[in-house]
Amino acid sequence: MASDYDVEFVERTEREARILVRGITPAFANGIRRAMVADVPTLAIDTVRFIENSSVMFDEQLGLRLGLVPLTTPTPEEFGDDDVVTLSIDVEGPATAYSGDLVSSEPDLVKPADENVPIIQLKDDQRLEAEAEAVYDHGKNHAKHQGGVAVGYRHLQRVTVDGDLPEFEEEESQIVRGVIEDDGELIPTSEFGHDLTERYPGKDVTVEDVPNAFVFHVETDGSFAVEELVTRAVDSIDDRAAELEDAVQL
Amino acid sequence: MELRVTERTDEELSIEIAGEDHTFMNVLKGSLLEHEHINAATYDINPEQSGGQTDPILTLKTDGSIEPIDALEEAAGDIRTKAADFKSAFEAAA
């Protein structure tokens, strides 16, 4: 069973991408999507020791907020699965404590992915001092460990022009979302306001799904780059298949 | 991954795959259905709060020319091939 995949980047930035994959079955596509959301482990703060908290929020509330701060997550090879990173924070009011105030014990490997996530606003004489421990876990267990946000896919849609619309017919907008294929050219629908009548005025067009061609939209929370998320998701499926292979042989 | 066979004949196999969810089971089912000697494959998962059996149970039927357990092993191998192919195609594009 030769599976012949063809991968192409339609849009691409560090944290967000649209990736076209041809020749993939719906089952495998969904497996990869689900693995990206729930099975790729990321680091997140899980335990907090409060040294001083004279802010208006309870320790528990701040604990949750600290947990939700995305942290850059190195590969498990660079960093053991059971390893723990300590991040400390010390902010005195009047000021706002931001994620960028977290000081990591491994600043080269693990640090907040964004500097500007507000944690709490401190007034005069209020102070937050705490030490937090970040651990690896899966999105399945807590949303703070989800590396992929807004991960999904759609069929690639092929648009063919059938001819002109009748002269006096009123044109109705035809909305499509995702990526269309026109004569082999890939166009994200955002380029023409998701409306086919903007791109093909006065034309009669048909839209059809291209079988087994899926456009993934992948966005990460900053824990790692898009490529890293996809590769780790595929690896997690591969690991489980290998595990099953071994288990069956016994 | 713990396996427990619940039913087994020459052509049929029911097996419990502990700790897995739809992510892997559906990929596995899809891969089994592509196998030429497998006539039927399905899996069933009960909701977490239903009590009792909540691990997925995979059931498959072959055409008799292959042991069901061997077919399962081959399907797992096929997933590994797919994953490797996908990864190389993806890395070539990246």
Side-chain angles (χ1 to χ4, degrees), chain A residues 1 3 5 7 9 12 21 25 27 31 34 39 227 230-231 234-235 238 240-245 247-249, chain B residues 1 3 20-24 26-28 34 69 73 76-78 80 82-83 85-87 89-91 93-94:
Chain A
M1 187 180 48
S3 31
Y5 298 118
V7 181
F9 279 80
R12 186 178 190 179
V21 186
T25 60
R34 284 182 60 108
D39 289 323
E227 295 80 13
V230 178
T231 336
V234 177
D235 284 342
D238 183 55
R240 275 177 277 180
E243 216 180 305
L244 178 64
E245 227 177 5
V248 165
Q249 279 164 356
Chain B
M1 186 179 290
L3 303 180
E20 288 305 332
D21 61 6
H22 297 283
T23 310
F24 184 66
N26 196 239
V27 175
L28 181 61
E34 284 170 13
I69 197 95
E73 189 184 334
D78 289 343
R80 296 208 64 189
K82 280 185 183 192
D85 288 352
F86 183 89
K87 224 178 131 175
F90 183 79
E91 274 160 7

Side-chain angles (χ1 to χ4, degrees), chain A residues 209-231:
Chain A
D209 289 345
V210 183
N212 292 334
F214 291 99
V215 182
F216 283 83
H217 173 254
V218 183
E219 190 185 337
T220 77
D221 67 351
S223 302
F224 23 61
V226 169
E227 295 80 13
E228 206 40 61
L229 177 65
V230 178
T231 336

Side-chain angles (χ1 to χ4, degrees), chain B residues 14-56:
Chain B
S14 284
I15 192 166
E16 182 192 305
I17 303 180
E20 288 305 332
D21 61 6
H22 297 283
T23 310
F24 184 66
M25 293 311 292
N26 196 239
V27 175
L28 181 61
K29 186 190 85 174
S31 178
L32 280 164
L33 289 173
E34 284 170 13
H35 194 287
E36 55 172 339
H37 296 300
I38 286 181
N39 290 339
T42 188
Y43 72 94
D44 186 28
I45 299 183
N46 291 325
E48 196 142 318
Q49 281 155 11
S50 62
Q53 178 71 43
T54 52
D55 282 319

Side-chain angles (χ1 to χ4, degrees), chain A residues 73-87:
Chain A
T73 304
T75 55
E77 289 89 61
E78 290 176 278
F79 215 79
D81 250 354
D82 302 322
D83 278 353
V84 172
V85 189
T86 309
L87 296 118

